[in-house]
Amino acid sequence: HQKILFPCLKKIQKISNKHKPWIETEYQGIVMENDNTVLLNPPLFALDKDAPLHYAGEICGFRVHNGPSGSGSVQFEAVVLDRSTGEGLVRSKEPLDCESQREHSFTIQAYDCGEGPDGVNSKKSHKATVHVRVNDVNEFSPVFVERRYEASVPEGRLFDRIVRVEALDADCSPQYSQICFYDIITPNVPFAIDNDGNIKNTEPLDSKRERVYTFWVTAFDCGKNRAQADAQVVVTVKPSCKPGWIGWTKRVEYTPGSGSIPLFPSLHLETCEETVWNIQATVELQTGHIGKGCDRDSYSDRSVRRLCGAVRGEVDLLPPPSPAANWTSALPTLPSSDSSLVFSFNGSNHVAVVPDSVVSALTGDHFTLQLWMRRGGANIQPAATQTRGNRKEEETIVCSTVKNDDSFSHYSLSVHGCRLSLFYWPDVSAARPVKFLWKLEQVCDSEWHHLSLSVQFPSVTLYVDGVTFDPALIHDNGAIPNPAARQRMFIGACWGENLYVGGYHGLLSGVTVRPGSVEPHSVVECLYACREGLDFGDLETLGSGMKVHVNPSQSVLVLEGDDIESFNRAVQQVTYRNSLRFATPGVRPLKLTTSLRCFNEESCLSLKQLEGYLVVLQPDAPQISLSGVGPHLARPAPEFEGSRGVPLFPELRIVCSLSHAVNTAAQGMEGGALMSDAVAHTLDGCEVQPLGEELNPEREELLVDMDVVRERGLEIINTTAYIAITGAESISVYEDVLRSVRYRLAKGSARFERRFRLSCSEMNGRYTSNELTLEVNFLHSLDSLYHPSHLLASQQQFLHPSHHAGELSGHTLPNPHRNSVVPGAATVIIMVCVGFLVVMVILGVFRIRSIHRRGEGARGGAKEGSSQWDDSALTIIINPMESYESRMGISADTEAEGEEDEEGAESPDDTSDDQRIIIKKEGRDGNARRY
């Protein structure tokens, strides 16, 4: 019966697992922090309609899947407590932390035992979502934000709040993370603290009785945990109130590379309970010592244009005087601390006439005119002389007439009082003239200002110090004389009837014109952008009713508000910012002017102006190191006579380093100070100079890869005295250009050596590199040396490359040349040298014996222990190698040595490279003597 019954039952079970298990669609769970058992609501039960069948109606397990957070299957698991009832339990694999993650979500799925003990054809339920919240445990204690709180109050008054202390709790729940109350644990102090941490005095304080109060406070969270460490409170009692600024520091020091520093970290305004409804403070930082406006990394205007990414093609209308640009040679110049050339105009005869060859490249009605301007010249006049009452004529800065195809256009930029005007005439023979007018205080304030005028007629855009100003258009129908129909341009005046009219009185610098499309706004802003100035630390900390304004040059900052406490916090956020790698050291005068308005204007406070100064310390100089080039470069002469010559610095390496920490935050980066020697640098010039006599253009020359130079936009001056490469560019670019410098000799040049010196600099020569000296040696074969045209050279130098190439350390020698010395000639030379050597040895021995005999005759019967020479210890050392740098002067050197006095010492000027015979004799006293 069993054999028949059990197979039948198995067959019934296989066909009876028809239903999937069923569970709830969503569960809410709670688990205590640092525990792992999850309490679910509703409880976890899985039901199967196949019950009570064995296996098919039983729940074999639960599976956990990832939820939205993606971590449920890793942190949680579900187990079956009873297969028949389907009861389950959810638990975490390890204790949970509320502070790291408070909520967990995942899905769970039940599956039955299938059709037999092997779980074949088991069915799964749908997936249910489980949300688990981790309940907090009060495991953390409060921690004070600061360990020490300081405040100062005037004597004789009661205050609602002197200082506020604050503590934080790291627990995740509001119950345990909130601070319920604070307590002063120091007894017998006249202070009280509320539950928010505000401390007030319970009685008027007297500075004569107690000047400084020091006490301790603690904090408790709502779980009654006490703070880990108590906080110290120091209250200073000030004598009778005096209105004004408290905490003013006259001298502020700035270390280059520090980024931004607060100027007034402890400054606050004391009004002595005077009701003030408006406060205005003006902070002024004078940077006029820098030159034009503010510190711009001490680069020239041309270098700044390259660094700002300006479009190339600008024409310098006021270039430095030179033979190629002589129209500025008659203009007086003034020194400038920012490495640019400043020209002075006196309003009469100081005029620059730009030649036609330059003007012809400036055609078209699309161009950008940029310049630096300062009204008044060297002797600056007060701004009052440039007011409306001044009826002087217009002063012309630029006056230009250019030819456009078959017509002529004319424009002139002028100033009159506090107005700037652009007079534009697109066609002097047909079109109607238009005047663009701007009213600007910058024109008449006797300060340096940067003007950028982008003309895309009929559209004109003016940028003054990087700020856009809209013009007022005037169609000028007055009696204006037609400009002469000829191409000409003047700087500092305009040409009238046989004389200059409208002369400009002031200073100009960096006057450039770029024809074509106008300059982008971002480039104009970069050209004017100040690298140092005033700034505000965090605008989000400004209280309600507070306003802050900074002028474009960042030399004036204005704060305005109506709340004393908010105003004091705002003043402490005023910072000095300097993003230069190598800030210009010096003193920056600093002023703080305060204006108060009270309800009672008659008794309102009046505060005097505060004056101080900011001192920028001397920055650490960068070390610009040139290396990778040996002190000697030796090559066969025919290589130098090739069409391309020989590269002088093929393996040049340029490294710039600093010895101090560089603040990357000051360079627009995050991360604080970076301790590194490698800093991004920009070189602005390198020079290769032949030492000794200048290059002979008929026999030798220095070549440079002009394609690389032009591609990088660098400038080069190649003369017989030096090669100068200028322009602000990266180190890698200068390495590429200098590695392409080659030296070439003309055919048949009988040179044997030439020395060159290489040096580089950055920031217009402010920091220079080491001077790298290279000696170039030209190796000649005997065939060329014994040629009649090289007879003299053959008497000066001899070198066999195949024998000496491995012995000349520090030199670069080629493989043996095919024109090396033939064996027959070498044999003759060796025989001559050996014969000469034998003669010199015989002469040396004869001279030594002669000296020895004279010594014995003079001393007579001297004792045996006296200092005499023993001929048996005679040693002859011959230096068989002569440096290829020396000349063939063996006979002269030997004869000179033979004529020396017998007691004389070796001359300090003699070198081991000279070919000579050294005779060493050891005496009986053990001392050696050389001859």
Side-chain angles (χ1 to χ4, degrees):
H1 291 85
Q2 291 180 351
K3 292 180 180 180
I4 298 175
L5 181 60
F6 282 116
C8 293
L9 290 174
K10 289 182 179 180
K11 186 175 181 180
I12 294 174
Q13 288 178 354
K14 286 183 180 180
I15 62 175
S16 63
N17 189 16
K18 300 180 179 180
H19 302 93
K20 296 181 180 180
W22 178 89
I23 58 176
E24 298 286 344
T25 58
E26 186 174 9
Y27 294 90
Q28 300 292 333
I30 297 175
V31 61
M32 295 301 295
E33 188 179 22
N34 300 326
D35 194 3
N36 57 0
T37 301
V38 180
L39 301 179
L40 292 180
N41 182 26
L44 180 60
F45 281 94
L47 304 179
D48 196 318
K49 291 184 179 181
D50 293 324
L53 290 178
H54 194 43
Y55 298 118
E58 295 176 340
I59 303 301
C60 270
F62 297 90
R63 289 184 181 148
V64 177
H65 303 278
N66 284 334
S69 61
S71 61
S73 62
V74 177
Q75 293 182 306
F76 292 89
E77 63 180 358
V79 297
V80 178
L81 299 180
D82 191 337
R83 283 188 168 191
S84 60
T85 62
E87 181 181 1
L89 174 67
V90 176
R91 62 190 178 190
S92 62
K93 296 180 182 180
E94 57 185 17
L96 301 176
D97 187 7
C98 176
E99 283 72 34
S100 61
Q101 187 173 351
R102 192 173 182 182
E103 300 284 344
H104 298 270
S105 296
F106 54 92
T107 60
I108 191 172
Q109 190 177 28
Y111 59 94
D112 58 22
C113 295
E115 298 177 354
D118 53 357
V120 178
N121 295 328
S122 63
K123 295 184 180 298
K124 301 176 183 179
S125 69
H126 62 272
K127 292 182 180 180
T129 304
V130 181
H131 301 282
V132 178
R133 185 179 75 249
V134 183
N135 278 358
D136 189 23
V137 175
N138 192 14
E139 56 183 334
F140 294 100
S141 300
V143 177
F144 280 96
V145 176
E146 298 181 18
R147 296 295 304 276
R148 179 184 173 93
Y149 294 87
E150 296 183 2
S152 58
V153 294
E155 61 182 354
R157 294 171 51 189
L158 291 176
F159 296 91
D160 294 333
R161 186 178 76 175
I162 297 176
V163 66
R164 181 178 181 270
V165 299
E166 183 181 8
L168 302 176
D169 196 297
D171 287 305
C172 66
S173 64
Q175 178 183 0
Y176 299 130
S177 64
Q178 292 183 356
I179 306 301
C180 275
F181 63 95
Y182 296 86
D183 188 21
I184 298 177
I185 59 177
T186 302
N188 302 324
V189 291
F191 298 97
I193 188 171
D194 59 16
N195 293 339
D196 294 329
N198 297 312
I199 298 177
K200 65 179 180 179
N201 56 327
T202 57
E203 61 183 44
L205 305 177
D206 187 357
S207 61
K208 297 179 181 178
R209 183 178 63 183
E210 190 76 30
R211 183 66 183 271
V212 179
Y213 288 91
T214 302
F215 55 93
W216 297 83
V217 298
T218 190
F220 294 87
D221 61 19
C222 294
K224 296 186 179 180
N225 273 359
R226 182 174 171 174
Q228 291 181 353
D230 302 327
Q232 186 184 42
V233 180
V234 178
V235 178
T236 302
V237 183
K238 300 181 297 183
S240 56
C241 179
K242 294 182 180 179
W245 290 104
I246 300 175
W248 169 262
T249 302
K250 188 174 183 179
R251 175 188 172 96
V252 180
E253 290 188 355
Y254 178 80
T255 302
S258 302
S260 297
I261 63 168
L263 290 175
F264 320 112
S266 59
L267 186 66
H268 61 279
L269 181 62
E270 178 60 61
T271 59
C272 298
E273 294 189 343
E274 178 68 32
T275 304
V276 179
W277 65 272
N278 183 267
I279 314 169
Q280 183 173 324
T282 302
V283 183
E284 297 180 57
L285 180 70
Q286 298 180 17
T287 58
H289 66 288
I290 301 300
K292 302 190 300 294
C294 61
D295 204 336
R296 286 174 175 79
D297 222 2
S298 298
Y299 285 114
S300 64
D301 290 333
R302 185 176 295 274
S303 297
V304 171
R305 289 185 59 82
R306 283 188 51 79
L307 295 174
C308 290
V311 181
R312 300 173 186 174
E314 73 277 0
V315 178
D316 195 351
L317 301 182
L318 290 179
S322 66
N326 58 358
W327 68 88
T328 59
S329 57
L331 295 177
T333 59
L334 298 178
S336 175
S337 57
D338 61 354
S339 305
S340 61
L341 200 58
V342 176
F343 294 90
S344 177
F345 295 83
N346 60 1
S348 57
N349 60 342
H350 290 168
V351 181
V353 182
V354 184
D356 292 343
S357 59
V358 177
V359 182
S360 60
L362 304 177
T363 60
D365 55 358
H366 291 183
F367 61 89
T368 300
L369 174 66
Q370 299 194 55
L371 57 95
W372 285 92
M373 180 187 70
R374 184 181 184 183
R375 295 285 297 282
N379 299 322
I380 302 299
Q381 298 179 1
T385 61
Q386 304 289 347
T387 58
R388 297 177 181 177
N390 191 353
R391 295 299 180 182
K392 291 183 179 180
E393 64 177 3
E394 287 189 345
E395 301 178 17
T396 303
I397 300 175
V398 179
C399 181
S400 174
T401 302
V402 297
K403 185 177 182 180
N404 300 318
D405 297 331
D406 297 332
S407 63
F408 286 87
S409 63
H410 174 82
Y411 73 87
S412 62
L413 182 67
S414 306
V415 290
H416 185 202
C418 291
R419 289 177 172 83
L420 178 74
S421 63
L422 174 68
F423 180 79
Y424 192 79
W425 207 332
D427 188 349
V428 297
S429 61
R432 188 179 182 185
V434 179
K435 179 179 286 188
F436 300 87
L437 189 65
W438 296 268
K439 183 179 180 182
L440 303 168
E441 294 296 331
Q442 292 89 336
V443 175
C444 57
D445 62 358
S446 300
E447 298 291 340
W448 278 107
H449 294 284
H450 181 262
L451 275 64
S452 178
L453 198 66
S454 295
V455 178
Q456 197 168 7
F457 192 77
S459 175
V460 175
T461 305
L462 173 67
Y463 301 94
V464 179
D465 298 339
V467 180
T468 309
F469 289 88
D470 296 327
L473 271 65
I474 300 176
H475 291 274
D476 205 326
N477 295 322
I480 300 175
N482 289 351
R486 57 168 297 189
Q487 194 163 255
R488 52 173 43 184
M489 176 179 284
F490 305 95
I491 310 296
C494 206
W495 185 254
E497 293 295 334
N498 299 324
L499 76 164
Y500 293 117
V501 295
Y504 171 73
H505 184 260
L507 304 178
L508 293 177
S509 178
V511 183
T512 61
V513 172
R514 187 177 60 80
S517 58
V518 298
E519 203 76 83
H521 188 193
S522 58
V523 173
V524 177
E525 288 181 339
C526 176
L527 291 174
Y528 180 73
C530 292
R531 303 296 189 265
E532 70 165 341
L534 299 173
D535 203 353
F536 194 80
D538 187 4
L539 293 174
E540 296 181 358
T541 60
L542 279 176
S544 59
M546 288 295 304
K547 299 178 182 178
V548 60
H549 172 74
V550 184
N551 68 334
S553 63
Q554 296 181 332
S555 61
V556 178
L557 184 144
V558 180
L559 285 172
E560 185 176 359
D562 52 9
D563 180 69
I564 295 293
E565 294 184 2
S566 299
F567 197 86
N568 288 336
R569 288 195 299 269
V571 169
Q572 296 172 5
Q573 291 287 328
V574 177
T575 62
Y576 169 75
R577 177 191 58 81
N578 196 320
S579 61
L580 294 172
R581 292 192 301 266
F582 313 111
T584 304
V587 177
R588 279 75 162 159
L590 192 64
K591 295 181 181 180
L592 175 61
T593 306
T594 311
S595 174
L596 303 177
R597 301 186 66 179
C598 309
F599 290 104
N600 187 358
E601 294 292 341
E602 296 180 357
S603 62
C604 193
L605 303 175
S606 178
L607 304 181
K608 67 177 183 178
Q609 178 179 274
L610 298 179
E611 296 183 359
Y613 53 93
L614 173 75
V615 181
V616 177
L617 303 179
Q618 182 75 34
D620 290 346
Q623 304 298 323
I624 308 174
S625 175
L626 308 181
S627 61
V629 178
H632 300 280
L633 175 66
R635 291 285 189 278
E639 292 188 14
F640 291 91
E641 296 173 358
S643 60
R644 299 195 53 179
V646 174
L648 295 179
F649 317 106
E651 299 179 358
L652 175 68
R653 290 185 67 252
I654 306 177
V655 177
C656 292
S657 62
L658 286 177
S659 58
H660 68 286
V662 178
N663 193 332
T664 58
Q667 303 174 9
M669 301 171 60
E670 297 181 358
L674 174 65
M675 291 299 296
S676 173
D677 250 8
V679 184
H681 285 255
T682 301
L683 299 181
D684 56 15
C686 287
E687 182 176 291
V688 181
Q689 178 183 7
L691 299 180
E693 60 182 6
E694 296 185 3
L695 297 177
N696 186 348
E698 298 180 356
R699 299 175 53 192
E700 54 186 342
E701 63 178 338
L702 286 174
L703 306 176
V704 183
D705 192 344
M706 295 304 299
D707 292 337
V708 178
V709 175
R710 284 191 293 266
E711 180 183 353
R712 299 296 184 177
L714 300 176
E715 297 180 358
I716 184 170
I717 301 176
N718 193 348
T719 66
T720 59
Y722 63 90
I723 284 184
I725 304 169
T726 58
E729 259 299 350
S730 63
I731 290 178
S732 60
V733 171
Y734 270 93
E735 284 181 339
D736 293 340
V737 174
L738 292 174
R739 288 171 182 170
S740 70
V741 176
R742 295 172 173 266
Y743 178 67
R744 191 175 74 86
L745 282 175
K747 294 288 185 179
S749 298
R751 292 203 63 92
F752 288 89
E753 66 177 7
R754 165 65 85 175
R755 301 176 66 209
F756 295 95
R757 180 171 58 202
L758 171 64
S759 62
C760 295
S761 66
E762 66 174 312
M763 297 180 67
N764 280 40
R766 180 175 171 186
Y767 301 111
T768 58
S769 69
N770 60 309
E771 293 185 349
L772 193 63
T773 303
L774 176 66
E775 181 175 329
V776 181
N777 299 103
F778 313 97
L779 308 182
H780 297 272
S781 64
L782 285 183
D783 292 344
S784 61
L785 287 175
Y786 286 119
H787 193 273
S789 63
H790 298 86
L791 186 59
L792 179 62
S794 64
Q795 299 175 359
Q796 299 177 350
Q797 180 175 352
F798 171 76
L799 177 66
H800 198 306
S802 63
H803 288 79
H804 304 304
E807 301 178 18
L808 300 176
S809 59
H811 298 69
T812 305
L813 293 179
N815 293 327
H817 199 271
R818 63 177 181 175
N819 293 329
S820 300
V821 181
V822 295
T827 303
V828 173
I829 293 175
I830 292 174
M831 293 177 62
V832 173
C833 291
V834 171
F836 182 77
L837 176 61
V838 172
V839 173
M840 293 306 301
V841 170
I842 294 173
L843 290 177
V845 173
F846 176 78
R847 186 173 180 81
I848 292 173
R849 289 184 178 277
S850 177
I851 294 172
H852 180 62
R853 285 194 298 269
R854 288 200 303 268
E856 288 182 350
R859 288 187 294 270
K863 293 183 179 181
E864 185 180 55
S866 61
S867 179
Q868 296 182 358
W869 283 36
D870 185 5
D871 293 343
S872 61
L874 178 64
T875 303
I876 301 176
I877 302 176
I878 302 174
N879 181 10
M881 177 64 188
E882 179 187 7
S883 174
Y884 62 88
E885 300 158 340
S886 307
R887 302 294 180 258
M888 295 291 292
I890 300 176
S891 299
D893 292 343
T894 307
E895 292 175 3
E897 290 182 5
E899 294 173 1
E900 290 181 354
D901 187 73
E902 61 186 24
E903 299 296 332
E906 184 180 5
S907 174
D909 295 333
D910 293 342
T911 62
S912 61
D913 291 334
D914 297 333
Q915 180 169 334
R916 63 193 57 168
I917 299 176
I918 304 174
I919 303 176
K920 182 172 70 173
K921 173 73 176 178
E922 288 190 4
R924 296 179 181 177
D925 57 354
N927 298 325
R929 294 171 173 81
R930 290 162 56 101
Y931 287 88

